[in-house]
Amino acid sequence: SDDSAPMDLLAEIFSSSFVPLSFGGSISSVNQAKKIISMGCEKIILGSHSYSNPSLSIELALEIGAQSVILAIDVRKENENYNVYANQGSIKLPFSLEEILTSAKKNGIGEIHLTNIDLTGTFLGIDYELAFFARKLTNLPLVIGGGLNKENLSDENLDNRIDLSGSSIFCIRQPLDAPLLNYDSNDW
């Protein structure tokens, strides 16, 4: 439904932020996405709904521009192949990663956020094989997530047309494994 996003909270966050923000999670209609964009969000992230409703990304691109439409793709490497998953890795999709990446641009996607979900939170390093495989298949802006560690932040081997994302790396853990956000660190 169009009511699934926490609109009051989003409005508060967008109005107090001075950096561009993207939002994703249960975006199921153009009207819902337009409302979120009108509150100050720069980009909409589509995931599971884009697979069940392929026309959503095309309609969204026509309304808000492809540059504001991100496709989030979750993958797992199984038997030397990258398989695509939805709903936090609980549903294996019948589409190949190659199929999705090569059709993304014509489907209204302006950016790809690709995550190896088995590496998320592990600090084992990004999946270079995945990054380079994806770069060969699309010229869209590409962000790779999953496994980010400090070494990746200064890695000169990474293609300069591939960006990285991380979340766990920006947290510090306390004795009860409770995360505290870490914005001010001299370790960088």
Side-chain angles (χ1 to χ4, degrees), residues 16-174:
S16 62
S17 176
F18 298 102
V19 297
L21 296 173
S22 301
F23 177 79
S26 300
I27 302 292
S28 58
S29 75
V30 171
N31 288 337
Q32 179 189 25
K34 283 173 55 177
K35 184 174 182 180
I36 293 169
I37 290 287
S38 73
M39 294 183 332
C41 181
E42 182 177 306
K43 297 181 181 189
I44 295 296
I45 304 168
L46 297 177
S48 301
H49 284 290
S50 67
Y51 302 115
S52 59
N53 180 7
S55 65
L56 178 60
S57 58
I58 295 170
E59 293 170 24
L60 210 51
L62 291 172
E63 289 289 328
I64 65 173
Q67 78 285 348
S68 293
V69 182
I70 300 172
L71 178 60
I73 307 170
D74 290 343
V75 300
R76 285 194 161 111
K77 190 168 188 180
E78 300 165 323
N79 299 321
E80 300 304 313
N81 293 312
Y82 288 104
N83 294 312
V84 181
Y85 281 80
N87 297 83
Q88 292 80 41
S90 63
I91 300 171
K92 185 176 179 178
L93 297 176
F95 316 107
S96 73
L97 177 57
E98 185 174 38
E99 218 178 328
I100 293 169
L101 290 172
T102 56
S103 65
K105 194 171 192 172
K106 75 174 168 99
N107 288 332
I109 300 300
E111 182 176 324
I112 302 288
H113 188 283
L114 184 57
T115 302
N116 182 329
I117 55 178
D118 289 331
L119 290 176
T120 300
T122 64
F123 306 106
L124 294 174
I126 61 158
D127 185 340
Y128 284 104
E129 184 180 342
L130 174 62
F132 297 138
F133 175 77
R135 178 45 64 217
K136 289 178 187 173
L137 296 172
T138 183
N139 64 354
L140 290 171
L142 180 61
V143 180
I144 300 293
L148 185 69
N149 62 30
K150 287 184 180 182
E151 290 77 26
N152 295 140
L153 296 176
S154 61
D155 196 332
E156 295 177 11
N157 295 317
L158 194 61
D159 185 322
N160 65 4
R161 298 173 300 139
I162 299 172
D163 294 316
L164 305 176
S165 74
S167 56
S168 299
I169 194 171
F170 299 108
C171 294
I172 54 175
R173 299 277 176 185
Q174 295 301 307

